[in-house]
């Protein structure tokens, strides 16, 4: 390494240390200001805790769909059908479809399974056929 590049690196390090010292001074001043401000920290903490609790609850409902409430599909007298179709299926298939939390994804799965069932001339969609047909 040449002496000019060492001097350049040394000047850059000095500049960086000066910036870090200024940031540290600003952070210390900000911390002191926050410590001296009259705030109701308990109320703020409780508000944040409530927001986090509500958010986590909502995300769990989305990520663990079997705990979600789903509107029941109208049932025919001779058994359930794939939603929006005339293709008979088992109760377990209807339950599994209900566990898909995103409506447009659920509809894509129904369409794919219905198309495959019609193509294969399946009398009633069971879980085994559903799992094979629902794979994209």
């Amino acid at each position: 390494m040449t002496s000019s590049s060492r001097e350049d690196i040394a000047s850059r390090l000095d500049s960086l240390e000066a910036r870090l010292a200024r940031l540290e001074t600003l952070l210390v001043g900000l911390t002191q200001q926050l410590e001296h401000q009259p705030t109701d920290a308990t109320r703020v903490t409780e508000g944040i805790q409530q927001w986090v609790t509500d958010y986590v609850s909502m995300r769990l409902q989305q990520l663990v769909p079997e705990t979600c409430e789903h509107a029941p599909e109208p049932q025919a007298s001779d058994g359930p059908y794939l939603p929006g179709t005339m293709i008979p299926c088992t109760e377990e298939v209807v339950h599994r479809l209900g566990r898909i939390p995103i409506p447009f994804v659920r509809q894509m799965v129904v369409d794919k399974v219905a198309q495959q069932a019609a193509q294969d001339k399946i009398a009633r969609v069971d879980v085994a056929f559903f799992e094979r047909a629902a794979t994209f």
Side-chain angles (χ1 to χ4, degrees):
M1 236 189 207
T2 64
S3 65
S4 69
S5 53
R6 285 186 193 140
E7 290 172 4
D8 185 43
I9 292 173
S11 69
R12 286 183 179 187
L13 283 174
D14 289 341
S15 174
L16 181 60
E17 287 178 5
R19 288 180 182 171
L20 288 174
R22 277 185 285 171
L23 281 174
E24 186 176 2
T25 303
L26 288 171
L27 286 174
V28 167
L30 183 59
T31 302
Q32 288 173 348
Q33 286 179 357
L34 288 174
E35 288 173 352
H36 296 299
Q37 278 186 347
T39 60
D40 187 4
T42 304
R43 194 178 83 226
V44 171
T45 303
E46 288 173 355
I48 292 171
Q49 286 173 341
Q50 183 61 45
W51 181 87
V52 169
T53 301
D54 293 344
Y55 179 78
V56 169
S57 175
M58 178 202 54
R59 290 297 293 154
L60 282 173
Q61 290 272 329
Q62 292 172 342
L63 296 173
V64 187
E66 60 269 7
T67 64
C68 298
E69 296 292 325
H70 297 282
E73 292 288 330
Q75 302 296 318
S77 60
D78 60 342
Y81 289 89
L82 288 174
T85 71
M86 295 301 294
I87 308 228
C89 65
T90 63
E91 291 286 338
E92 178 63 22
V93 170
V94 171
H95 175 72
R96 287 185 182 210
L97 283 168
R99 290 176 40 193
I100 300 173
I102 304 169
F104 78 88
V105 174
R106 185 179 324 122
Q107 189 59 48
M108 285 174 48
V109 170
V110 167
D111 293 344
K112 185 157 190 320
V113 171
Q115 179 185 18
Q116 191 66 41
Q119 184 179 11
D120 294 351
K121 296 181 174 63
I122 300 295
R124 182 169 301 275
V125 174
D126 61 1
V127 173
F129 179 82
F130 175 80
E131 290 178 349
R132 280 193 317 274
T135 306
F136 286 90

